[in-house]
Amino acid sequence: MFSDTEIKHVDDIIKRMSRYISKTYSKGNTKRDAHPKTIAIIKGEFTVLENLPKTLKKGLFTSPKTYKTIIRFSNGNSKIQSDTKKDVRGIALKIIDIETDIGRDCRSKETRTQDFLLMSNPTMALGTIKKFRDVIVYTLDTTKLKSLLGYSLT
């Protein structure tokens, strides 16, 4: 469950990224804000095992079951480029037809799916919703970024 503050941060992220995407791409040619290049999409199955430790039995991991899944492989660079160039690679799993309303808590329009995002980096650069929002604010607003870095604005 997200706190009211986290929900406000998510709403702010959605607003800022929507504005950025509509300014950046022409109508009908919109790309994702991150990992815009799809390498492959495959259908698969995601199986929750019966013998999970009790501490992991939360949400869709509560009981053993196999779910339909869509898996997307992607490149991380915000500009689409050749796969031969070094880049962060991503894997996104969309678990379909889960038996909970997880989406309602994170402002998703999809209330019977759950997404897992993975990337080819050993650590996550941002650990909280607030930090992710702050990076978006400072990346999209060069005036704030220059101020943060101590650059003159004149």
Side-chain angles (χ1 to χ4, degrees), residues 14-132:
I14 292 168
K15 179 181 77 178
R16 289 173 187 276
M17 292 309 299
S18 295
R19 198 168 43 228
Y20 166 77
I21 287 171
S22 61
K23 276 193 217 175
T24 304
Y25 297 104
S26 60
K27 191 168 184 155
N29 193 32
T30 304
K31 306 287 186 237
R32 296 168 180 264
D33 67 304
H35 291 260
K37 182 175 182 183
T38 298
I39 299 170
I41 295 178
I42 60 174
K43 292 179 182 180
E45 293 183 338
F46 182 90
T47 302
V48 176
L49 300 176
E50 186 172 345
N51 58 348
L52 288 178
K54 189 174 183 176
T55 55
L56 298 178
K57 292 189 175 197
K58 307 279 188 235
L60 73 92
F61 297 101
T62 304
S63 56
K65 186 172 179 178
T66 298
Y67 298 91
K68 291 179 182 177
T69 305
I70 298 171
I71 305 165
R72 177 180 182 261
F73 295 86
S74 62
N75 285 358
N77 198 297
S78 61
K79 303 275 189 264
I80 294 178
Q81 62 184 9
S82 169
D83 293 338
T84 60
K85 294 194 176 186
K86 290 189 176 192
D87 197 355
V88 172
R89 309 295 183 198
I91 302 173
L93 290 86
K94 181 174 283 297
I95 312 302
I96 300 169
D97 203 23
I98 60 173
E99 297 169 6
T100 183
D101 287 336
I102 289 172
R104 181 176 28 207
D105 290 336
C106 64
R107 298 293 197 254
S108 173
K109 293 178 183 171
E110 299 175 16
T111 58
R112 296 192 51 85
T113 67
Q114 182 165 344
D115 296 330
F116 292 97
L117 308 175
L118 305 112
M119 63 181 182
S120 62
N121 199 42
T123 59
M124 179 63 177
L126 309 166
T128 67
I129 291 171
K130 182 186 182 317
K131 287 179 184 176
F132 182 70

Side-chain angles (χ1 to χ4, degrees), residues 5-6 8-14 16 126 128-139 144:
T5 302
E6 288 172 322
K8 286 178 185 174
H9 289 319
V10 169
D11 288 342
D12 191 43
I13 290 167
I14 292 168
R16 289 173 187 276
L126 309 166
T128 67
I129 291 171
K130 182 186 182 317
K131 287 179 184 176
F132 182 70
R133 182 208 160 268
D134 290 349
V135 165
I136 289 171
V137 168
Y138 287 110
T139 302
K144 286 185 180 181

